[in-house]
């Protein structure tokens, strides 16, 4: 057990060192993804949905894709920093796009957890979902660019 703790501590320290300011949102995202997965499986029978390995695997793949989206945000951050540095501009931030993406995704996972818990018959304070939706909308507004359609550009 001690070796597992040392290994986990080392992995988390290496991750935090590599990600810097992005470590906290990534770890929180990972934690809420796990909680959403567990509460989703628990709530499925209450919704009349079957629990199957195929659906569970689909849920795991979805959670991995959410982490991938933070990685895409980090790649865009790196690209922006590289471009700015190339033209002699020092940016005052690191991992801004990835952090905003992580906050938006965390809020979505929190909303899903609250829905799962509600479906399990637990009474929820009404402000929890309102706050999560508000923070998510604020992340959307802060990341909204003038003229952006939100649909990701045309494909030919």
């Amino acid at each position: 057990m001690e070796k597992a703790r040392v290994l986990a501590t080392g992995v988390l320290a290496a991750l935090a060192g590599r990600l810097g300011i992005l470590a906290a949102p990534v770890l929180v995202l990972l934690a809420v993804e796990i909680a959403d997965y567990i509460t989703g499986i628990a709530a499925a029978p209450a919704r009349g949905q079957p629990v199957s390995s195929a659906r569970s695997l689909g849920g795991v793949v979805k959670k991995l894709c959410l982490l991938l989206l933070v990685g895409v945000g980090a790649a865009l951050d790196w690209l922006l920093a590289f471009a700015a540095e190339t033209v002699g501009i020092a940016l005052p931030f690191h991992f801004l796009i990835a952090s905003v993406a992580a906050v938006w995704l965390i809020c979505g996972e929190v909303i899903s957890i609250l829905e799962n818990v509600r479906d399990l018959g637990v009474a929820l304070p009404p402000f929890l979902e309102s706050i999560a939706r508000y923070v998510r909308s604020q992340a959307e507004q802060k990341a909204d660019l003038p003229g952006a359609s939100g649909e990701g550009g045309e494909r030919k």
Side-chain angles (χ1 to χ4, degrees):
M1 188 64 166
E2 186 63 27
K3 288 182 181 180
R5 284 186 200 155
V6 169
L7 179 63
T9 302
V11 168
L12 288 174
L15 181 66
R18 184 73 179 136
L19 293 178
I21 195 164
L22 189 57
V26 167
L27 291 175
V28 170
L29 178 59
L30 188 57
V32 295
E33 283 183 335
I34 292 168
D36 183 47
Y37 183 78
I38 292 168
T39 59
I41 288 174
R47 294 182 185 129
Q49 299 171 332
V51 176
S52 69
S53 58
R55 279 187 68 132
S56 294
L57 179 61
V60 170
V61 169
K62 179 183 173 189
K63 302 301 180 194
L64 291 174
C65 287
L66 295 181
L67 288 171
L68 179 64
L69 290 176
V70 176
V72 168
L76 290 172
D77 281 321
W78 177 83
L79 185 61
L80 183 61
F82 177 78
E85 185 179 315
T86 301
V87 296
I89 300 171
L91 296 179
F93 56 82
H94 299 286
F95 292 125
L96 177 66
I97 298 168
S99 294
V100 172
V103 167
W104 187 84
L105 293 167
I106 290 166
C107 290
E109 292 294 295
V110 167
I111 291 166
S112 180
I113 291 167
L114 294 172
E115 290 169 351
N116 293 339
V117 170
R118 184 178 44 239
D119 289 348
L120 286 167
V122 176
L124 297 174
F127 62 86
L128 287 178
E129 191 171 347
S130 297
I131 290 171
R133 289 187 188 282
Y134 175 77
V135 172
R136 189 175 191 185
S137 72
Q138 290 302 301
E140 289 173 358
Q141 288 177 9
K142 298 298 181 203
D144 193 24
L145 297 174
S149 66
E151 296 181 6
E154 295 182 60
R155 293 180 187 225
K156 297 191 182 201

